[in-house]
Amino acid sequence: MFAQRNVIYSISNTLPMTKFEILVYGTAIFVIAYWFRIRWQYRKFYDLANKLPGHPSYPLKGSTFELPITPEKLMANIKKAAEDFNYEPVKMWIGPILFVGVFKPEDVQVVLNSSKAIEKGIVYQIIKNLAGEGVFTASVDKWRRHRRVIATIFNPKFLDQLFPIFNKNNKKLVENLSKHLDDAEPFDLWNYIMSCNLNNVSQAAMGFNNFDKYNISGFVHTLKKLTEFGQLLVKPWLYSKTIFAIFAHLSGWYNHKEIIDNITKEIIQEKQREYNSRKSEKYDEIDNNFKEKRTKVFLDKLLKLNDEGADFTDQDIRDEVITMTVAGSDTSAIGECFCLLLLAIHQDIQDKVYEEIYSIMGDSDRSVEPDEIPKFKYLEQVIKESLRHFSPGAIYSRKIDENIKLSNYELPAGCNVFVTPFVTHTIPKLYPNPREFNPENFSPENESMRNKFSYLAFSGGLRGCLGAKYAMLSMKLMLVEVLRNYRLYTKEKYSTIELQFDMLAKSKHGYKVTIQPRKLLKSQGTTV
């Protein structure tokens, strides 16, 4: 009896727990309960993941192999998974979030063309924080409204009136490049090309020329800082608005955003005042031909359509202007720099491009006219091939609203899907010898033999890029002007080009070339 009481006393002394023990056990129970809840709530995604091929996944870091992960390593992992599993849909866990990668044109077409997959994927939440909710990132309802309005702006008449802007800035670019004619060492094209594109888009989108007035250097610097935040796309915890707000405050990101907002707001307000003045009868009496002669820029047309009932808020207008500015400067500049670098590497192809330019323009210094653009057929093939190799938009993501069926799998509602030119553009069945720079990939005959979703430089389907024609036009005009004046050379090789993935895919080490004037080469009897 005495021994029994001692045992009971001993046990009773061990039962009470310290506060620390209670906290530990309570936390463990909460984590386990939360884990079971997540597994149940997202069971359809786990069921799908069990069916899909893909590399092993690990708690917290998912299937990204390294923590922290860089965008470059993530893209390498995606490419390896696609190749390892014969370009079939693959699972890719980024932290606790399941993404499904689709690569074959037939599956890409289903996703990008489906009315059930119009919503942008969760990764775009970061881009919304950076650039606002323009037509590129907008939710479905806002996208439908905005797209109807903006699609009417990018018509042939609007693009034709931009030729004087492009041609003037391109000639200025050629003049600026001339300071490097005597350089023995390569220089980087980026700052020159980017500056020219920013001139183009700022005038075409907002109609202003006086950069100092709006602290445009601050604008450019801030745009660069914002696009560098693309590194955040591989940090899934920042997809939460609350957590991102804390991060933005602590990192000083809001300071960058404020600069963009203030400059854009000032420009829009000034254009609004100009628009209101042009509406008045008194203004028309002073110069009744002004409306016909004046270039109608993107912001002009947006304000006019808004006045006619488009119902855009001030924030909507700001977001669309920022969207066009980023898309029309960074993306075009990247495409042009890569194209010029590749032509410097492939001298024989550069010769063929120049021969086409010379056959159309001759020795004249005149500007390209709108009706001449379709004549640059080989140049267009070269641009497309360059964008196949180095597409600025490396990845596009969608969120499935309702179940959709791919060739071999069914994707459940709520699933995040991504497509990537970085992979699709290198599938050997689509592009033989995919690492070879071969503009004949885009001859009319070869293009007609491929599914149109084999080429994703401007995305595709229902939410394809509205500014694709603007981008192609600006690239053609710039390349014609540069190549008719200079022959480009480089020490770089295709194999040495490294990519850096921020919001866009850029060359990690720049675009370094040397140049020689075409006219001097021609006078010396050298092949131009």
Side-chain angles (χ1 to χ4, degrees):
M1 188 70 177
F2 181 75
Q4 185 179 8
R5 284 199 301 270
N6 280 343
V7 170
I8 294 172
Y9 179 77
S10 176
I11 293 173
S12 66
N13 276 343
T14 63
L15 287 178
M17 293 185 291
T18 65
K19 291 181 180 180
F20 176 75
E21 290 174 323
I22 292 172
L23 179 63
V24 170
Y25 288 128
T27 301
I29 292 170
F30 173 80
V31 169
I32 293 170
Y34 184 75
W35 182 83
F36 274 109
R37 179 179 179 275
I38 292 295
R39 294 287 298 193
W40 175 256
Q41 183 178 355
Y42 297 107
R43 61 192 181 280
K44 59 186 177 181
F45 300 136
Y46 289 104
D47 289 343
L48 174 63
N50 289 334
K51 299 174 185 176
L52 288 170
H55 289 139
S57 174
Y58 304 94
L60 297 181
K61 67 178 182 179
S63 50
T64 51
F65 306 160
E66 295 178 5
L67 193 64
I69 189 75
T70 64
E72 292 79 19
K73 183 63 176 176
L74 177 64
M75 293 305 294
N77 290 347
I78 290 172
K79 191 172 189 304
K80 186 176 189 308
E83 292 171 347
D84 287 349
F85 300 105
N86 197 31
Y87 302 101
E88 291 295 324
V90 300
K91 60 186 173 187
M92 176 74 68
W93 292 91
I94 299 182
I97 302 173
L98 174 66
F99 290 83
V100 177
V102 295
F103 312 110
K104 291 182 177 179
E106 298 78 12
D107 287 335
V108 172
Q109 182 172 4
V110 170
V111 172
L112 297 186
N113 257 357
S114 175
S115 61
K116 302 173 185 177
I118 303 178
E119 191 71 67
K120 290 296 183 82
I122 191 171
V123 297
Y124 286 84
Q125 184 57 51
I126 296 286
I127 302 175
K128 285 183 184 181
N129 291 327
L130 303 179
E133 198 171 1
V135 71
F136 177 67
T137 58
S139 58
V140 173
D141 289 342
K142 179 178 281 192
W143 168 77
R144 291 187 194 278
R145 290 188 292 107
H146 286 207
R147 186 185 187 283
R148 283 195 296 269
V149 174
I150 292 172
T152 64
I153 296 178
F154 286 103
N155 56 61
K157 185 176 180 181
F158 171 72
L159 295 177
D160 286 353
Q161 63 153 3
L162 300 180
F163 271 66
I165 293 174
F166 292 148
N167 288 329
K168 179 181 177 182
N169 290 325
N170 291 338
K171 289 184 183 300
K172 182 66 175 177
L173 168 65
V174 168
E175 180 184 333
N176 290 336
L177 291 176
S178 67
K179 68 181 68 174
H180 294 285
L181 283 172
D182 297 325
D183 290 0
E185 291 302 312
F187 69 96
D188 193 347
L189 285 166
W190 174 253
N191 287 336
Y192 297 99
I193 300 291
M194 180 58 178
S195 177
C196 183
N197 274 283
L198 194 62
N199 276 320
N200 283 337
V201 76
S202 60
Q203 293 171 46
M206 295 175 276
F208 70 90
N209 300 301
N210 188 354
F211 283 8
D212 292 336
K213 178 180 178 181
Y214 296 106
N215 184 25
I216 202 63
S217 60
F219 188 84
V220 174
H221 175 73
T222 305
L223 273 181
K224 182 176 184 296
K225 286 294 182 183
L226 290 184
T227 57
E228 287 174 355
F229 276 88
Q231 298 282 335
L232 306 181
L233 297 178
V234 293
K235 296 175 170 53
W237 53 90
L238 291 177
Y239 296 167
S240 162
K241 291 182 179 180
T242 302
I243 296 177
F244 185 89
I246 296 171
F247 161 81
H249 177 74
L250 295 176
S251 67
W253 178 86
Y254 279 136
N255 296 332
H256 298 305
K257 186 173 183 294
E258 186 176 8
I259 293 173
I260 291 286
D261 286 344
N262 289 340
I263 294 174
T264 308
K265 181 179 178 181
E266 185 178 350
I267 293 168
I268 291 173
Q269 287 176 344
E270 180 168 326
K271 298 301 291 185
Q272 183 70 67
R273 288 192 293 270
E274 289 180 8
Y275 175 76
N276 292 337
S277 296
R278 289 195 301 274
K279 283 175 60 180
S280 69
E281 290 182 3
K282 183 177 180 180
Y283 195 95
D284 288 344
E285 287 172 3
I286 296 173
D287 185 356
N288 56 18
N289 291 320
F290 185 81
K291 286 186 178 181
E292 285 70 25
K293 293 180 179 179
R294 183 179 169 279
T295 299
K296 307 294 198 323
V297 300
F298 177 81
L299 184 51
D300 289 322
K301 289 183 172 290
L302 200 55
L303 292 172
K304 183 175 185 295
L305 290 167
N306 202 39
D307 192 43
E308 294 171 352
D311 196 26
F312 279 32
T313 65
D314 290 346
Q315 185 65 35
D316 289 340
I317 294 173
R318 175 264 182 206
D319 290 347
E320 296 301 349
V321 168
I322 290 294
T323 296
M324 183 175 175
T325 302
V326 173
S329 55
D330 262 42
T331 54
S332 294
I334 292 169
E336 289 152 357
C337 283
F338 269 126
C339 192
L340 289 170
L341 182 63
L342 287 167
L343 288 174
I345 293 172
H346 299 88
Q347 291 287 317
D348 56 333
I349 297 175
Q350 185 178 168
D351 288 342
K352 289 186 69 174
V353 173
Y354 178 73
E355 287 168 8
E356 180 179 74
I357 295 171
Y358 188 81
S359 71
I360 297 167
M361 306 299 294
D363 283 324
S364 70
D365 292 327
R366 67 179 180 81
S367 298
V368 178
E369 297 294 332
D371 61 353
E372 292 175 314
I373 285 295
K375 298 178 182 179
F376 294 98
K377 299 182 185 300
Y378 188 69
L379 175 60
E380 181 166 326
Q381 290 179 214
V382 168
I383 293 172
K384 287 181 176 180
E385 175 69 354
S386 176
L387 291 174
R388 179 182 74 81
H389 286 265
F390 301 109
S391 179
I395 194 165
Y396 310 112
S397 180
R398 299 289 186 270
K399 185 176 181 179
I400 307 300
D401 292 330
E402 299 178 33
N403 292 14
I404 62 173
K405 187 170 179 56
L406 304 179
S407 52
N408 296 321
Y409 301 94
E410 185 171 22
L411 304 180
C415 183
N416 281 279
V417 186
F418 67 86
V419 301
T420 169
F422 187 64
V423 173
T424 300
H425 287 178
T426 58
I427 297 177
K429 287 185 178 180
L430 302 176
Y431 301 99
N433 303 313
R435 288 302 171 192
E436 178 185 339
F437 186 66
N438 179 19
E440 291 306 315
N441 280 321
F442 293 93
S443 67
E445 297 77 19
N446 287 331
E447 274 197 301
S448 67
M449 295 170 62
R450 290 192 301 267
N451 183 310
K452 69 177 182 178
F453 286 87
S454 301
Y455 183 67
L456 304 170
F458 298 103
S459 185
L462 299 177
R463 293 198 74 160
C465 177
L466 292 175
K469 291 182 178 178
Y470 172 97
M472 285 298 291
L473 175 62
S474 67
M475 284 191 281
K476 284 182 181 178
L477 289 174
M478 179 181 287
L479 292 169
V480 166
E481 195 62 33
V482 171
L483 293 169
R484 72 197 290 205
N485 283 279
Y486 301 122
R487 186 180 187 115
L488 283 76
Y489 305 86
T490 186
K491 296 177 182 178
E492 299 289 332
K493 298 185 183 301
Y494 182 93
S495 59
T496 63
I497 297 174
E498 290 185 61
L499 291 179
Q500 173 181 320
F501 295 94
D502 292 322
M503 278 180 65
L504 301 168
K506 303 176 181 178
S507 172
K508 186 174 183 178
H509 303 296
Y511 313 85
K512 296 177 181 178
V513 300
T514 57
I515 58 175
Q516 290 188 18
R518 293 278 182 184
K519 289 182 178 179
L520 176 61
L521 291 170
K522 193 170 184 179
S523 67
Q524 294 174 344
T526 307
T527 301
V528 295

Coordinates of all heavy atoms in Angstrom, one line a residue, residues 298-357:
F298 N -0.9 57.7 -77.1 CA -1.7 56.7 -76.3 C -2.5 57.3 -75.2 O -3.7 57.1 -75.1 CB -0.7 55.6 -75.7 CG -1.4 54.6 -74.9 CD1 -2.0 53.5 -75.4 CD2 -1.4 54.7 -73.5 CE1 -2.6 52.5 -74.7 CE2 -2.0 53.7 -72.7 CZ -2.6 52.6 -73.3
L299 N -1.9 58.2 -74.5 CA -2.6 58.9 -73.4 C -3.8 59.8 -73.9 O -4.8 59.8 -73.3 CB -1.7 59.7 -72.5 CG -2.2 60.3 -71.3 CD1 -3.0 59.3 -70.4 CD2 -1.1 60.9 -70.4
D300 N -3.5 60.5 -75.0 CA -4.6 61.3 -75.7 C -5.8 60.4 -76.0 O -6.9 60.7 -75.7 CB -4.1 61.9 -77.0 CG -3.1 63.0 -76.8 OD1 -3.3 63.8 -75.8 OD2 -2.1 63.1 -77.5
K301 N -5.5 59.3 -76.6 CA -6.6 58.4 -77.0 C -7.3 57.8 -75.8 O -8.5 57.6 -75.8 CB -6.1 57.3 -78.0 CG -5.7 57.8 -79.3 CD -5.2 56.7 -80.2 CE -5.0 57.3 -81.7 NZ -6.3 57.6 -82.3
L302 N -6.5 57.5 -74.8 CA -7.1 56.9 -73.6 C -8.0 57.9 -72.9 O -9.2 57.6 -72.4 CB -6.0 56.5 -72.6 CG -6.4 55.5 -71.5 CD1 -7.0 54.2 -72.1 CD2 -5.1 55.1 -70.7
L303 N -7.6 59.2 -72.8 CA -8.4 60.2 -72.2 C -9.7 60.5 -73.0 O -10.8 60.7 -72.5 CB -7.6 61.5 -72.1 CG -6.4 61.5 -71.1 CD1 -5.6 62.8 -71.2 CD2 -7.0 61.3 -69.7
K304 N -9.6 60.4 -74.4 CA -10.7 60.6 -75.2 C -11.7 59.5 -75.0 O -12.9 59.7 -74.9 CB -10.3 60.7 -76.7 CG -11.4 61.0 -77.7 CD -10.9 61.2 -79.1 CE -12.0 61.6 -80.0 NZ -13.0 60.6 -80.2
L305 N -11.3 58.3 -75.1 CA -12.2 57.1 -74.9 C -12.8 57.2 -73.5 O -14.0 56.8 -73.3 CB -11.4 55.8 -75.1 CG -10.9 55.5 -76.5 CD1 -9.9 54.4 -76.6 CD2 -12.2 55.2 -77.4
N306 N -12.0 57.6 -72.5 CA -12.6 57.7 -71.2 C -13.7 58.8 -71.1 O -14.7 58.6 -70.5 CB -11.5 58.0 -70.2 CG -11.8 57.7 -68.8 OD1 -12.4 56.6 -68.5 ND2 -11.4 58.5 -67.8
D307 N -13.4 59.9 -71.8 CA -14.4 60.9 -71.9 C -15.7 60.5 -72.6 O -16.8 61.0 -72.3 CB -13.8 62.1 -72.6 CG -14.7 63.4 -72.5 OD1 -15.1 63.7 -71.4 OD2 -14.9 64.1 -73.5
E308 N -15.6 59.5 -73.4 CA -16.7 58.9 -74.2 C -17.4 57.8 -73.5 O -18.3 57.1 -74.0 CB -16.3 58.5 -75.6 CG -15.8 59.7 -76.4 CD -15.2 59.2 -77.7 OE1 -14.9 58.0 -77.9 OE2 -14.9 60.1 -78.6
G309 N -16.9 57.5 -72.2 CA -17.7 56.5 -71.5 C -16.9 55.2 -71.1 O -17.5 54.3 -70.6
A310 N -15.6 55.2 -71.3 CA -14.8 54.0 -70.9 C -14.7 53.8 -69.4 O -14.5 52.7 -69.0 CB -13.4 54.2 -71.5
D311 N -14.9 54.9 -68.6 CA -15.0 54.8 -67.2 C -13.8 54.3 -66.5 O -13.8 53.4 -65.7 CB -16.2 53.9 -66.8 CG -16.6 54.0 -65.3 OD1 -16.4 55.1 -64.8 OD2 -17.2 53.1 -64.8
F312 N -12.6 54.9 -66.9 CA -11.4 54.5 -66.3 C -11.2 55.5 -65.1 O -11.4 56.7 -65.3 CB -10.2 54.7 -67.2 CG -10.0 53.6 -68.1 CD1 -11.0 52.8 -68.6 CD2 -8.7 53.3 -68.6 CE1 -10.8 51.7 -69.4 CE2 -8.4 52.2 -69.4 CZ -9.5 51.4 -69.8
T313 N -10.7 55.0 -63.9 CA -10.4 55.9 -62.8 C -9.0 56.5 -63.1 O -8.3 56.0 -64.0 CB -10.3 55.1 -61.5 OG1 -9.3 54.1 -61.6 CG2 -11.7 54.4 -61.3
D314 N -8.6 57.5 -62.3 CA -7.2 58.0 -62.4 C -6.2 56.9 -62.2 O -5.2 56.9 -62.9 CB -7.0 59.2 -61.4 CG -7.9 60.4 -61.7 OD1 -8.4 60.5 -62.9 OD2 -8.0 61.3 -60.8
Q315 N -6.5 56.0 -61.3 CA -5.5 55.0 -61.0 C -5.5 54.0 -62.2 O -4.4 53.5 -62.6 CB -5.9 54.2 -59.8 CG -4.9 53.1 -59.3 CD -3.6 53.6 -58.9 OE1 -3.5 54.7 -58.3 NE2 -2.5 52.9 -59.2
D316 N -6.6 53.7 -62.8 CA -6.6 52.9 -64.0 C -5.7 53.5 -65.1 O -5.0 52.7 -65.8 CB -8.0 52.7 -64.6 CG -8.9 51.9 -63.7 OD1 -8.4 51.1 -62.9 OD2 -10.2 52.0 -63.8
I317 N -5.9 54.8 -65.4 CA -5.1 55.4 -66.4 C -3.6 55.4 -66.1 O -2.8 55.1 -66.9 CB -5.5 56.9 -66.6 CG1 -7.0 56.9 -67.1 CG2 -4.6 57.6 -67.5 CD1 -7.6 58.3 -67.2
R318 N -3.3 55.6 -64.8 CA -1.9 55.5 -64.4 C -1.3 54.1 -64.6 O -0.2 54.0 -65.1 CB -1.8 55.9 -62.9 CG -0.4 55.7 -62.3 CD -0.3 54.4 -61.6 NE 1.0 54.2 -60.9 CZ 1.6 53.0 -60.7 NH1 1.0 51.9 -61.1 NH2 2.7 52.9 -60.1
D319 N -2.1 53.1 -64.3 CA -1.6 51.7 -64.4 C -1.4 51.4 -65.9 O -0.4 50.7 -66.2 CB -2.6 50.8 -63.8 CG -2.6 50.8 -62.3 OD1 -1.7 51.5 -61.7 OD2 -3.5 50.3 -61.6
E320 N -2.3 51.8 -66.7 CA -2.1 51.5 -68.2 C -0.9 52.2 -68.8 O -0.2 51.7 -69.6 CB -3.4 51.8 -68.9 CG -4.6 51.0 -68.5 CD -4.4 49.5 -68.7 OE1 -3.4 49.1 -69.4 OE2 -5.3 48.8 -68.2
V321 N -0.7 53.5 -68.3 CA 0.5 54.2 -68.8 C 1.7 53.6 -68.4 O 2.7 53.4 -69.2 CB 0.4 55.7 -68.4 CG1 1.7 56.4 -68.6 CG2 -0.7 56.4 -69.1
I322 N 1.8 53.1 -67.1 CA 3.0 52.4 -66.6 C 3.2 51.1 -67.4 O 4.3 50.8 -67.7 CB 2.9 52.2 -65.1 CG1 3.0 53.5 -64.3 CG2 4.0 51.2 -64.6 CD1 4.3 54.2 -64.4
T323 N 2.1 50.4 -67.6 CA 2.2 49.1 -68.3 C 2.8 49.3 -69.7 O 3.7 48.6 -70.1 CB 0.8 48.5 -68.4 OG1 0.3 48.1 -67.1 CG2 0.9 47.2 -69.3
M324 N 2.3 50.3 -70.4 CA 2.8 50.6 -71.8 C 4.3 51.0 -71.7 O 5.1 50.7 -72.6 CB 2.0 51.6 -72.5 CG 2.5 51.8 -74.0 SD 1.5 52.8 -75.0 CE 2.5 52.9 -76.5
T325 N 4.6 51.9 -70.7 CA 6.0 52.4 -70.6 C 7.0 51.3 -70.4 O 8.0 51.2 -71.0 CB 6.1 53.4 -69.5 OG1 5.1 54.5 -69.7 CG2 7.5 54.0 -69.4
V326 N 6.7 50.4 -69.4 CA 7.6 49.3 -69.1 C 7.7 48.3 -70.3 O 8.7 47.9 -70.8 CB 7.1 48.5 -67.9 CG1 7.9 47.2 -67.7 CG2 7.2 49.4 -66.6
A327 N 6.5 48.0 -70.9 CA 6.5 47.1 -72.0 C 7.1 47.6 -73.3 O 7.8 46.9 -74.0 CB 5.0 46.7 -72.4
G328 N 7.0 48.9 -73.5 CA 7.5 49.6 -74.7 C 9.0 50.0 -74.5 O 9.6 50.4 -75.5
S329 N 9.5 49.9 -73.4 CA 10.9 50.3 -73.2 C 11.8 49.1 -72.9 O 12.6 48.7 -73.7 CB 11.1 51.4 -72.1 OG 10.5 50.9 -70.8
D330 N 11.6 48.5 -71.8 CA 12.5 47.3 -71.4 C 12.4 46.2 -72.4 O 13.4 45.6 -72.9 CB 12.1 46.8 -70.0 CG 13.0 47.4 -68.9 OD1 13.3 48.6 -69.1 OD2 13.4 46.7 -68.0
T331 N 11.1 45.7 -72.7 CA 11.0 44.5 -73.5 C 11.5 44.8 -74.9 O 12.2 43.9 -75.5 CB 9.5 44.1 -73.6 OG1 8.7 45.2 -74.1 CG2 9.0 43.6 -72.3
S332 N 11.2 46.0 -75.5 CA 11.7 46.3 -76.9 C 13.2 46.4 -76.9 O 13.9 45.9 -77.8 CB 11.1 47.5 -77.4 OG 9.7 47.4 -77.6
A333 N 13.8 47.0 -75.8 CA 15.2 47.2 -75.7 C 15.9 45.9 -75.6 O 17.0 45.7 -76.3 CB 15.6 48.1 -74.6
I334 N 15.4 45.0 -74.8 CA 16.0 43.7 -74.7 C 16.0 42.9 -76.0 O 17.0 42.4 -76.5 CB 15.3 42.8 -73.6 CG1 15.5 43.4 -72.3 CG2 15.8 41.4 -73.7 CD1 14.6 42.8 -71.2
G335 N 14.9 43.0 -76.7 CA 14.8 42.3 -78.0 C 15.8 42.9 -79.0 O 16.4 42.1 -79.8
E336 N 15.9 44.2 -79.1 CA 16.8 44.8 -80.1 C 18.2 44.5 -79.7 O 19.1 44.3 -80.6 CB 16.5 46.3 -80.1 CG 15.2 46.7 -80.7 CD 14.6 47.9 -80.2 OE1 15.1 48.6 -79.2 OE2 13.5 48.3 -80.7
C337 N 18.6 44.6 -78.4 CA 20.0 44.4 -78.1 C 20.4 42.9 -78.4 O 21.5 42.7 -78.9 CB 20.2 44.7 -76.6 SG 20.3 46.4 -76.1
F338 N 19.6 42.0 -78.1 CA 19.9 40.6 -78.4 C 20.0 40.4 -79.9 O 20.9 39.7 -80.4 CB 18.8 39.7 -77.8 CG 19.1 39.2 -76.4 CD1 18.2 39.3 -75.4 CD2 20.4 38.5 -76.1 CE1 18.5 38.9 -74.1 CE2 20.6 38.1 -74.8 CZ 19.7 38.3 -73.8
C339 N 19.1 41.0 -80.6 CA 19.1 40.8 -82.1 C 20.4 41.4 -82.7 O 21.1 40.7 -83.5 CB 17.9 41.5 -82.7 SG 17.7 41.1 -84.5
L340 N 20.8 42.6 -82.2 CA 22.1 43.2 -82.7 C 23.3 42.3 -82.3 O 24.2 42.2 -83.1 CB 22.2 44.6 -82.2 CG 21.2 45.6 -82.9 CD1 21.3 46.9 -82.2 CD2 21.5 45.8 -84.4
L341 N 23.3 41.8 -81.1 CA 24.4 41.0 -80.6 C 24.5 39.7 -81.4 O 25.6 39.3 -81.9 CB 24.2 40.7 -79.1 CG 25.3 39.9 -78.5 CD1 26.6 40.6 -78.5 CD2 24.9 39.5 -77.1
L342 N 23.3 39.1 -81.7 CA 23.3 37.9 -82.5 C 23.8 38.1 -84.0 O 24.5 37.3 -84.6 CB 22.0 37.2 -82.5 CG 21.6 36.6 -81.2 CD1 20.1 36.2 -81.1 CD2 22.4 35.3 -80.9
L343 N 23.4 39.3 -84.5 CA 23.9 39.6 -85.8 C 25.4 39.9 -85.9 O 26.1 39.6 -86.8 CB 23.1 40.8 -86.4 CG 21.7 40.5 -86.8 CD1 21.0 41.8 -87.1 CD2 21.6 39.5 -87.9
A344 N 25.9 40.4 -84.8 CA 27.3 40.7 -84.7 C 28.1 39.3 -84.6 O 29.2 39.2 -85.1 CB 27.7 41.5 -83.4
I345 N 27.5 38.3 -84.0 CA 28.1 37.0 -83.9 C 28.0 36.3 -85.2 O 28.9 35.6 -85.6 CB 27.3 36.2 -82.8 CG1 27.6 36.8 -81.4 CG2 27.8 34.7 -82.8 CD1 26.8 36.1 -80.3
H346 N 26.9 36.5 -85.9 CA 26.6 35.8 -87.2 C 26.7 36.8 -88.3 O 25.7 37.3 -88.8 CB 25.3 35.1 -87.2 CG 25.1 34.1 -86.1 ND1 24.7 34.4 -84.8 CD2 25.3 32.7 -86.1 CE1 24.6 33.3 -84.1 NE2 25.0 32.3 -84.8
Q347 N 28.0 37.0 -88.8 CA 28.2 38.0 -89.8 C 27.5 37.7 -91.1 O 27.1 38.6 -91.8 CB 29.7 38.1 -90.0 CG 30.5 38.7 -88.9 CD 30.2 40.2 -88.7 OE1 30.2 41.0 -89.7 NE2 30.0 40.7 -87.5
D348 N 27.4 36.4 -91.5 CA 26.7 36.1 -92.7 C 25.3 36.5 -92.7 O 24.7 37.0 -93.8 CB 26.9 34.6 -93.0 CG 26.4 33.7 -91.9 OD1 26.3 34.2 -90.7 OD2 25.9 32.6 -92.2
I349 N 24.6 36.3 -91.6 CA 23.2 36.7 -91.5 C 23.1 38.2 -91.5 O 22.2 38.8 -92.1 CB 22.6 36.1 -90.3 CG1 22.6 34.5 -90.4 CG2 21.2 36.6 -90.1 CD1 22.1 33.8 -89.2
Q350 N 24.0 38.9 -90.8 CA 24.0 40.4 -90.8 C 24.2 40.9 -92.3 O 23.5 41.8 -92.7 CB 25.2 40.9 -90.0 CG 25.2 42.4 -89.9 CD 26.3 43.0 -89.0 OE1 26.5 44.2 -88.9 NE2 26.9 42.1 -88.2
D351 N 25.0 40.2 -93.1 CA 25.1 40.6 -94.5 C 23.8 40.5 -95.2 O 23.5 41.4 -96.0 CB 26.2 39.7 -95.2 CG 27.6 40.0 -94.7 OD1 27.8 41.1 -94.2 OD2 28.5 39.2 -94.9
K352 N 23.1 39.4 -95.0 CA 21.8 39.2 -95.7 C 20.8 40.3 -95.3 O 20.0 40.8 -96.1 CB 21.3 37.8 -95.4 CG 22.0 36.7 -96.1 CD 21.4 35.4 -95.9 CE 20.0 35.3 -96.7 NZ 19.4 33.9 -96.6
V353 N 20.8 40.6 -94.0 CA 19.9 41.7 -93.5 C 20.2 43.0 -94.2 O 19.3 43.7 -94.7 CB 19.9 41.8 -92.0 CG1 19.1 43.0 -91.5 CG2 19.4 40.6 -91.3
Y354 N 21.5 43.3 -94.2 CA 21.9 44.6 -94.9 C 21.6 44.6 -96.3 O 21.1 45.7 -96.9 CB 23.4 44.8 -94.7 CG 23.8 46.1 -95.4 CD1 23.5 47.4 -94.8 CD2 24.5 46.1 -96.6 CE1 23.8 48.5 -95.5 CE2 24.9 47.3 -97.2 CZ 24.5 48.5 -96.7 OH 24.9 49.7 -97.3
E355 N 21.8 43.5 -97.0 CA 21.4 43.5 -98.4 C 19.9 43.7 -98.7 O 19.6 44.4 -99.6 CB 21.8 42.1 -99.0 CG 23.3 41.8 -99.2 CD 23.6 40.4 -99.4 OE1 22.6 39.6 -99.6 OE2 24.8 40.0 -99.4
E356 N 19.1 43.2 -97.8 CA 17.7 43.5 -97.9 C 17.4 45.0 -97.6 O 16.6 45.6 -98.4 CB 16.9 42.7 -96.9 CG 15.3 42.9 -97.0 CD 14.6 42.1 -96.0 OE1 14.6 42.3 -94.8 OE2 13.9 41.1 -96.5
I357 N 18.0 45.5 -96.6 CA 17.8 47.0 -96.3 C 18.3 47.8 -97.5 O 17.6 48.8 -97.9 CB 18.6 47.4 -95.0 CG1 18.0 46.7 -93.8 CG2 18.6 48.9 -94.8 CD1 18.8 46.8 -92.6

